[in-house]
Amino acid sequence: MTRSAGHGPVGGHGFGFTVPVLQLGDVLLVTLQGELHDGMAEQLQQDITARISHSRVTGVVIDISGVEIVDSFLGRVLAEIAAGAKLLAARTVLAGMRPAVAITLVELGLTLPGMRTALDVERAMEMLGVTTRRGEGSP
């Protein structure tokens, strides 16, 4: 199911999986899981830029904790999303990167310019100025 800006998940174009894009205040939370195919990547980029330009979104958090493997295609897509967001005055934070994914990105020479990283979504939101409540006993 393809979606218009602001309503539901990005369509899988027949791939049987969707990319949820949630707006939390002035931050978009994008959760990637599994593989991101070409058509889905294009739709996701268009959706995020449309959401930024039609709302007061000032930040984008891309959670890749559900992604096992990052190849050069996904690395390029992430960099392009961050570049588009930056042109629309929104900051992008990549959250939940696994150690193996970080190693792969370094090996591929992908530095993801314009994108900051955080260990998890909570820290990413804090980097964008969104305060979150941590549980008792958390630092």
Side-chain angles (χ1 to χ4, degrees), residues 22-36:
L22 305 173
Q23 185 166 345
L24 305 171
D26 55 356
V27 174
L28 293 180
L29 175 60
V30 181
T31 304
L32 299 181
Q33 296 183 350
E35 292 184 44
L36 189 66

Side-chain angles (χ1 to χ4, degrees), residues 33-118:
Q33 296 183 350
E35 292 184 44
L36 189 66
H37 300 280
D38 291 5
M40 292 175 61
E42 289 177 21
Q43 183 64 37
L44 181 62
Q45 287 176 285
Q46 291 173 9
D47 181 64
I48 290 172
T49 54
R51 295 277 295 269
I52 293 169
S53 66
H54 292 102
S55 65
R56 295 181 181 254
V57 171
T58 59
V60 178
V61 173
I62 303 174
D63 178 12
I64 62 167
S65 60
V67 175
E68 297 282 335
I69 299 170
V70 171
D71 58 10
S72 59
F73 171 73
L74 182 54
R76 183 173 39 90
V77 167
L78 294 172
E80 288 175 0
I81 289 171
K86 185 176 182 180
L87 289 172
L88 295 170
R91 298 175 294 157
T92 304
V93 180
L94 192 63
M97 187 179 305
R98 297 169 185 248
V101 170
I103 291 168
T104 301
L105 288 173
V106 170
E107 289 173 348
L108 292 172
L110 297 172
T111 59
L112 304 177
M115 189 178 309
R116 298 178 66 189
T117 59

